[in-house]
Each structure stands twice: as C-alpha cells, then as structure tokens.
Amino acid sequence: MLMEDVLKHPTKVLTARQRDRFFEDGCLVVEGMVSDDWLARLHAAMEASVESSRTITENDGRFVLEAGHSADTPRLRRLTSPVSHHPDFWAFASESVAADVAADVCGPDVKFHHSKLNFKWPQGGQQFDWHQDIQAWPHTDYSPVTIGIYLEDVGEKQGPLKVIRGSNRGKLYSMYDEDGNWVLRIPDDKLPADWREREMSLTGPAGSLILLSCRAIHGSAGNASARMRPLLLNVYSSADSMPYCANPIPSEYAGTIVRGKPARYSCHDPRGCELPPDWSAGYVGPWAYQEDARGREAAA
Ligand SMILES: O=C(O)CCC(=O)C(=O)O
C-alpha cells in the first residue's frame, strides 16, 4: 500500500504525530508500549537460544557466531529467523502490539516477511556499515517496515541502530561495488553531503520499539561496553506488497497475514529497485559481505 493510502486509515496504537514522524524521518523510537510480561517472555526465549548455542562450533542455518564463541562463553552475532526457533518469538511477531504498530504504518492488512535477532556481544560486538535494506528483499512497493525491540537498555555505548534522517525519502543506492560484488554498504563518501547533521541514534530502554523504513539508510557501531545489545527485528509489509526475489531468511511464517486480510490485487510503486543476488543459493548475513568489502578496500 502506498503511503498516501495508509494515511487515509486512522492509527490504532501510534499517535498520528508519531506516524507522520516515521514517514518524515524513516524511523521512530516508541518507549513504554511493550508490556513487562512480553519483555520477560522474549528475554527468556533469547536466553534459551543462547543456551542452545553452546554446542555449536561453526555458523549454521540458525546461528551466526561471533569470534571467540565457545561452549563456556557463547558469543553470537545473530539468531537467524527466531520465529522458527521459539514459539514466543512468533507469538510476539503475530499477536503483540508490534503487529499493531506495523498496521499503523503499512495499512490495516499486514503480512510477515522475516525475522532476525541481532546480538552485539559485550566488548567487540560487530558494527553494521551504512546500507538500505529493501535492495536485499525487493517488494512491489516500499511499504516494508522493520519493527525492532531492544531486549536490554541501549545507550550510545552499546552500538544502537543509527539512521540518516529523511533518507527514506531520498534515492536508493547500489548495494554492489564497482566490480559487481554485493557489499550491502554505502561508503561514507557516497552518502548525502549533509549526512552527519542528519544522523540519529535510536537509543532507548529495554522494551523500546524501533521502526525502520525499508528505504532508510542505517547502520550501527560496534559494542565496546560491558552490556550486551540484543535487538529483535521483525519485517512486515502491506498485504498487497509482493516480494519478487527469494527471501534471504525464509521461514514457515513468511507471507502470513498477521493483521487484516489477504490482498486480491498487488500494489506497485513506480520506482524500481536494484535486484540482489539469488538468495535461494544461500544467504550469509551482512557481516560477511561488508567485511569482504572492507578487506578489498584496505588491500587496494
Ligand atoms: O543490528 C543492527 O544494529 C543493524 C541491523 C541491520 O542493519 C540489519 O540487520 O540489516
């Protein structure tokens, strides 16, 4: 659904002003909307996942490991598709206020696309270079939105998500380098000239919801603090927005309508989108592409 049609529907959980801010900035932090009960359930599900990672010694379809991971001291970058690994992750994605918030910015009919739980382990959790998401999972319109929730308090030192305010209304950048490698990053010198003035840190206490437009330029610094930064991310779209490339993080829930009803017609935004590599051959997460790119830059 296009933004002008979404705006014809009243909001249910956000204020109209919060929704306007989201469409203006491409991001929004909402505190105090997720109950303590949900936060406790998600925290317990996260802890159970970390526990089960102790037996893992290399990346698999479920975990992306941080350097130094061991049975004694787990260190994770990502739990891939958490909705597939614990019922409370799917219950949160489909039954909680997170899906209501998605309906406020996607329109009343909402479809689930994928999920991930990004950790930034204390003392060394990895950075994310600046990038836009939609080129990795193009849809027929730009309604896709990521609804995140911090499972711990996140301040500047934990590597909060950062967004270049208003970049959702700007152009889409190429996620390939000059040699045609998929790098999922935008070098600083290619960013909008005034990006430093528009950089926003999305900090907040545990339970804060983070809304991120699929077109917004975003990234995050490493975590040099002693506190972990777990960020659960669920991606939704309007029901009439159709993905046309392989899902990089497929699951049994992809395409599930979580609010409203299925679409009978697809919605098409006239602005095209760069196509990603074919993820049906596998997807390794952003770090590998971004680290390879930094390595090539350093060697040049
Ligand atoms: O976890 C983060 O800080 C950034 C996440 C992100 O940019 C992504 O998963 O695309």
Side-chain angles (χ1 to χ4, degrees):
M1 184 178 271
L2 302 180
M3 182 185 66
E4 50 267 36
D5 294 319
V6 174
L7 290 171
K8 291 177 187 156
H9 296 269
T11 56
K12 287 197 176 137
V13 289
L14 296 178
T15 63
R17 190 176 156 73
Q18 282 175 314
R19 179 165 71 180
D20 289 348
R21 271 258 75 87
F22 168 74
F23 283 130
E24 187 74 12
D25 291 346
C27 62
L28 185 72
V29 182
V30 186
E31 291 181 24
M33 205 176 257
V34 175
S35 68
D36 290 348
D37 181 53
W38 265 122
L39 189 57
R41 283 171 68 180
L42 292 174
H43 218 275
M46 173 189 79
E47 281 162 17
S49 303
V50 172
E51 231 9 72
S52 58
S53 77
R54 288 181 189 273
T55 54
I56 306 296
T57 54
E58 54 188 50
N59 295 345
D60 58 13
R62 187 171 174 191
F63 294 110
V64 182
L65 306 178
E66 182 63 79
H69 173 85
S70 71
D72 288 341
T73 53
R75 289 177 67 84
L76 303 177
R77 286 188 179 181
R78 173 176 281 177
L79 171 63
T80 305
S81 194
V83 292
S84 308
H85 302 302
H86 195 292
D88 279 346
F89 287 130
W90 174 242
F92 181 75
S94 56
E95 294 167 17
S96 79
V97 71
D100 297 325
V101 168
D104 278 350
V105 297
C106 292
D109 303 322
V110 181
K111 192 162 60 179
F112 175 81
H113 190 254
H114 73 270
S115 72
K116 49 212 170 186
L117 171 51
N118 286 348
F119 295 93
K120 273 187 203 283
W121 225 257
Q123 319 295 1
Q126 279 296 309
Q127 72 183 68
F128 279 84
D129 293 344
W130 294 114
H131 65 285
Q132 291 163 311
D133 282 338
I134 193 65
Q135 296 90 325
W137 24 269
H139 283 58
T140 53
D141 67 19
Y142 294 99
S143 66
V145 61
T146 299
I147 311 282
I149 174 170
Y150 286 133
L151 302 184
E152 297 280 356
D153 297 348
V154 175
E156 276 306 334
K157 290 189 182 146
Q158 281 72 45
L161 200 62
K162 287 181 188 269
V163 175
I164 298 183
R165 194 175 56 234
S167 54
N168 53 310
R169 292 180 283 110
K171 69 172 190 172
L172 288 184
Y173 289 74
S174 178
M175 293 298 123
Y176 292 87
D177 67 10
E178 282 77 13
D179 298 322
N181 302 298
W182 174 262
V183 289
L184 197 69
R185 74 193 281 262
I186 309 171
D188 286 3
D189 60 357
K190 296 222 170 98
L191 290 170
D194 60 350
W195 70 272
R196 287 181 202 279
E197 290 101 83
R198 290 160 56 195
E199 185 179 349
M200 285 174 73
S201 273
L202 309 187
T203 54
S208 301
L209 287 177
I210 306 290
L211 281 71
L212 179 68
S213 155
C214 67
R215 296 179 63 99
I217 301 175
H218 63 285
S220 57
N223 179 6
S225 80
R227 188 163 70 229
M228 202 217 283
R229 194 226 64 173
L231 172 58
L232 175 64
L233 299 161
N234 288 311
V235 179
Y236 306 89
S237 73
S238 307
D240 59 3
S241 178
M242 308 308 288
Y244 48 85
C245 293
N247 189 328
I249 306 185
S251 78
E252 63 275 41
Y253 299 114
T256 301
I257 301 298
V258 294
R259 287 292 178 275
K261 55 185 189 322
R264 290 194 59 197
Y265 292 88
S266 53
C267 174
H268 294 260
D269 188 299
R271 297 167 295 175
C273 185
E274 184 175 62
L275 299 173
D278 179 4
W279 303 129
S280 55
Y283 175 71
V284 294
W287 306 273
Y289 303 114
Q290 295 182 350
E291 280 165 10
D292 284 356
R294 282 198 292 272
R296 280 191 296 271
E297 257 175 32

